[in-house]
Each structure stands twice: as structure tokens, then as C-alpha cells.
Amino acid sequence: MKDRDKYDRMRDIIYKGNVVALTGAGVSKESGIPTFREKGGIWDRYDPSIYGSILGLSSLFLFKPQRIRDFIVDVYEGIISAVPNPAHFAFAKLEEEGKIACIITQNIDNLHQDAGSKRVYELHGNLYMERCIRCGKRHKRSKEEIKGILDFLKSARRYEILSKILPKCECGGRKRPDVVLFGESLPQEEFEEAYNEVRNCKSLLLVGTSGVVYPAASLPYLAKEVGATIIEISPEPTALSSLADHTIIGKAGNILPKLLRRK
Ligand code: OAD
């Protein structure tokens, strides 16, 4: 099929409305944030069994806090300096036009919201939020605050690292970044609402995710079960490609703007 016809067909599906998007790290790659599992990605450079788990991170805090510091500075700097790319803006436009019902994202970088998307379910948390481990209260952190923390950490002494990364809450407990680590539960309400959105959607746009992390990766199976049309946009096949009714090979920032209808 010619490219033009293919995009026309995709636009026809999307412009019927009630589209849910499930997004992952690939959507933010063109903003300069590395993905996880590609070559040079975060889990390619940092062992996920250590840096992605509470057990691994706790033992690093005790024995090698400098390594956590280096990891946090590396990952956070990439995220706080990033701005939305054409894919994020295309999603926001489709929502504004009433075509996209919501975005369900595994990303913690806030770039969908920065681009103007309103209904965003964050399954793996948000880097700009912290949560008290004791009282559960959540606090927002600005880019400037995080920048200040990173600058401090770069020259921090060993004993200063923990208190900067896990600062004290008013209740006396320690606050941690409100992101989901391996083996931890997803925010329950967020996941339930995302689940209901998928259960009621007409089509699911799968963009920039390898589809190997559950329960997020179970959502396309639910979409299939309820008869939704699945469109995948990815530069390479993923674990979910066999579910897709239509696949568009390419980068999100190139493809998504082409799915907008010109007035
Ligand atoms: P992955 O790194 O597993 O997958 C990224 C996907 O994006 C791959 O399939 C790439 O081919 C694709 N990709 C790369 N560049 C792209 C582009 N320009 N446009 C579109 N797609 C592109 O990242 P996720 O699937 O998001 O969880 O990973 C899921 C979860 O694993 C993350 O949320 C994180 C990680 O462990 C937690 O930390 C809990």
C-alpha cells in the first residue's frame, strides 16, 4: 500500500475518536532521553537488578552511595533538560481535537503534560513528585529544585548523599522519588482508571514501548479482547507487534504529526 493511502487509513481510524494511547520511552527518545533496553539505553548501562530494584538500591546506599549519585545525576539531568518533541505535541493536538481520550504512559518525564496533554495516566510515577515512605504524603518538586539537588550531589560527600536523595518529610519519615521500581505495585487507582479507558476504547495507539514490562504490557491484550483496533508505531518489531492490526515502522516524532488531519 502506498504511504499516502496508509496514512489516510490510519487517520480514518483515529478520527473516529475514542482512541487511547499507550506510550513508552521511545516517545521521548527524540527529546534526547535514552530508552531503557536499546543499545546505550539506561538498562544497557546500569544493571536493572541493582538500579531498578529497592533491594539493589538499598544495598548501594549502604555500601556505594556514590554509584547511586552518579546514576541519579546521569538519568535526571537527561530528563530535566528535555523538552517535548513533535510526537508529544501531536498527541496533545489529537486530544484537543477530541480524538484521543487519554494517554497511558510508562514515562516519568512529564513531557506529555508539558506538551499540553491533559488526561495522562502515569503508570510508573513521575520524576517531579516525591512521596513520604512513612506518611505517604506526596510533594511536587520543580525543575529548579531538582537542578539544585543535582548540583549539590555532584560535589557531595559520601554521608551527604542519602539525606539529599531521600530528604526528611515533616512527619520525620524520608521522602523518595515517586516512581515505580521493579517488584513494586503500580499506583492502584491510576491503573484501574487506565484499565477502564482501554476497556472502553475503539482503538489503541501503541507508541515507543517494547511491551515487556507488566502490567502495562497487558493493556494491549485487553484492547484486543474488547475488539479495539491496535495501531503500533515503532522503528522495530516489539513484543506486542503480533497484536497490532496496523504497524507503522518509524520514529514517533516523524509519524505522529502525519496522523493529524490538515484543516
Ligand atoms: P524500552 O526501552 O523497553 O523500549 C523502547 C521502545 O521504543 C523500543 O521498542 C524502541 O524500538 C522504541 N523506540 C525507539 N526510538 C523510538 C522512536 N523515535 N519512536 C518510537 N519508538 C521508538 O522502554 P519502555 O517500553 O518504555 O519501567 O520500558 C518500559 C518500562 O521498562 C519503563 O517504564 C521502565 C523500564 O524498566 C520502570 O522503571 C518501572
Side-chain angles (χ1 to χ4, degrees):
M1 194 191 305
K2 278 198 208 130
D3 261 9
R4 193 164 41 93
D5 299 342
K6 184 166 183 167
Y7 287 113
D8 279 344
R9 276 188 65 191
M10 297 305 127
R11 278 191 285 267
D12 285 346
I13 296 169
I14 288 167
Y15 276 76
K16 281 187 188 139
N18 205 356
V19 180
V20 168
L22 175 64
T23 69
V27 168
S28 296
K29 189 170 170 191
E30 289 154 86
S31 294
I33 303 175
T35 59
F36 288 92
R37 296 175 179 79
E38 291 181 292
K39 200 163 167 37
I42 293 170
W43 295 152
D44 187 36
R45 289 180 289 125
Y46 298 97
D47 181 347
S49 68
I50 298 174
Y51 290 90
S53 79
I54 201 81
L55 253 171
L57 287 170
S58 307
S59 76
L60 274 191
F61 260 129
L62 283 177
F63 302 113
K64 302 246 163 62
Q66 299 92 329
R67 285 222 222 148
I68 296 204
R69 184 260 314 274
D70 295 347
F71 170 68
I72 287 194
V73 169
D74 179 14
V75 172
Y76 278 48
E77 277 196 333
I79 295 181
I80 65 167
S81 59
V83 293
N85 67 56
H88 297 107
F89 288 117
F91 276 126
K93 182 82 184 142
L94 285 169
E95 183 184 348
E96 190 191 304
E97 290 179 351
K99 304 310 166 198
I100 282 201
C102 69
I103 294 171
I104 303 170
T105 190
Q106 298 163 87
N107 299 345
I108 59 169
D109 54 30
N110 212 58
L111 289 181
H112 282 302
Q113 295 92 326
D114 288 346
S117 289
K118 302 272 182 292
R119 302 197 66 229
V120 182
Y121 296 102
E122 296 177 311
L123 298 186
H124 294 165
N126 184 305
L127 187 92
Y128 297 99
M129 296 301 292
E130 53 187 14
R131 171 171 47 85
C132 176
I133 297 163
R134 189 199 276 173
C135 73
K137 201 164 160 198
R138 295 168 85 233
H139 307 251
K140 199 167 166 43
R141 296 186 299 188
S142 67
K143 257 184 201 184
E144 290 63 41
E145 272 175 84
I146 295 183
K147 204 173 167 317
I149 294 170
L150 299 181
D151 286 343
F152 178 90
L153 280 175
K154 283 179 198 166
S155 54
R157 283 171 245 234
R158 199 174 191 276
Y159 66 89
E160 293 171 321
I161 295 176
L162 176 90
S163 62
K164 208 63 189 172
I165 296 175
L166 304 177
K168 281 240 170 97
C169 173
E170 299 132 18
C171 79
R174 290 213 175 260
K175 297 184 285 183
R176 57 167 272 185
D178 195 15
V179 298
V180 176
L181 297 169
F182 286 120
E184 294 187 317
S185 320
L186 266 51
Q188 201 187 333
E189 219 174 283
E190 201 95 355
F191 186 70
E192 274 173 19
E193 286 177 34
Y195 183 94
N196 283 329
E197 295 278 358
V198 174
R199 207 170 50 178
N200 293 310
C201 76
K202 262 201 199 125
S203 45
L204 181 73
L205 263 182
L206 267 179
V207 191
T209 179
S210 58
V212 297
V213 174
Y214 284 77
S218 67
L219 294 174
Y221 289 88
L222 172 64
K224 199 82 200 161
E225 229 173 86
V226 299
T229 305
I230 300 183
I231 302 175
E232 181 174 61
I233 299 171
S234 173
E236 57 184 14
T238 71
L240 300 170
S241 296
S242 61
L243 296 178
D245 299 287
H246 306 279
T247 304
I248 310 182
I249 306 281
K251 294 181 181 178
N254 287 341
I255 310 288
L256 273 152
K258 293 184 187 158
L259 299 180
L260 296 170
R261 254 188 199 153
R262 289 173 227 328
K263 300 243 162 71

